[in-house]
Amino acid sequence: MENILQDVDAVIDQWGAKPESLLQIMLDVNHHFNYLPRESIVRIAERLRMPVSQVYSVATFFKVFSLTPRGRTIVHVCTGTACHVKGAPKLLDRMKQDLGLDPGETTEDLALTLETVNCVGACASAPVVVVNGETYSEVTPNKMAALVKEIKEQSA
Ligand code: FES
C-alpha cells in the first residue's frame, strides 16, 4: 500500500495536483500498475481535491482504464462474425480448459488477461488472435495453446 501511494504521488507530482491533469495522471497510473488500484483512486481524488466519485466515474467511463488487476500480456480473441464462424469459440474453450479463464479474467500470476474483441479488420485471416497488439492469423486451438505457453514462459 505504501509503495502504491508513493508511486501514485510521483505521477501526480510530475503532472501537477490540478484537476486539468486528472486524465493524464490516471493514464500513467493505469499504465504503471496495469490497472487502477482502489487506493490510487482515493489518493488522486484527495490530492486533486475532487470527489472520489468523480474519479471513479472517469475510471469506469473510459475503456482504457481497468479497476481490476490485468495481466502483463493481454490476449484478445476476435469473436466477430468471420472469426466466430471459423472457430473463435473453440479458442475460448481451449483457454478455459488450459487456464480456467473466461473473457475478462486474468491468471493468478498476472501473466495474462483474456479479452474478446469484435473484428479487428483481418477477417480473411480468421480466426484471429491479437497479443499485445501483434496479430496472429488462422489460429487453431493447438496454436493458441502454444502461444499461451510461450507467453507464460516469457513472463515467468
Ligand atoms: S471478424 Fe475477426 S477479424 Fe473480422
Side-chain angles (χ1 to χ4, degrees), residues 78-84 117-124 126-128:
C78 179
T79 53
T81 306
C83 289
H84 181 85
V117 63
N118 221 338
C119 192
V120 295
C123 307
V128 169

Side-chain angles (χ1 to χ4, degrees), residues 34-80:
N34 252 349
Y35 80 112
L36 290 171
R38 208 189 96 63
E39 44 283 48
S40 75
I41 289 182
V42 174
R43 183 64 141 220
I44 292 168
E46 271 171 19
R47 296 237 7 231
L48 271 56
R49 297 173 196 275
M50 302 172 83
V52 173
S53 59
Q54 196 177 336
V55 182
Y56 259 113
S57 64
V58 173
T60 51
F61 182 79
F62 293 105
K63 205 170 180 249
V64 67
F65 298 121
S66 174
L67 295 173
T68 52
R70 311 250 301 156
R72 291 178 286 282
T73 297
I74 312 293
V75 175
H76 282 100
V77 174
C78 179
T79 53

Side-chain angles (χ1 to χ4, degrees), residues 95-121:
M95 292 295 278
K96 181 76 178 173
Q97 182 190 319
D98 288 0
L99 299 175
L101 290 186
D102 283 314
E105 293 182 346
T106 300
T107 54
E108 264 181 32
D109 60 2
L110 299 183
L112 184 156
T113 294
L114 175 64
E115 296 281 1
T116 55
V117 63
N118 221 338
C119 192
V120 295

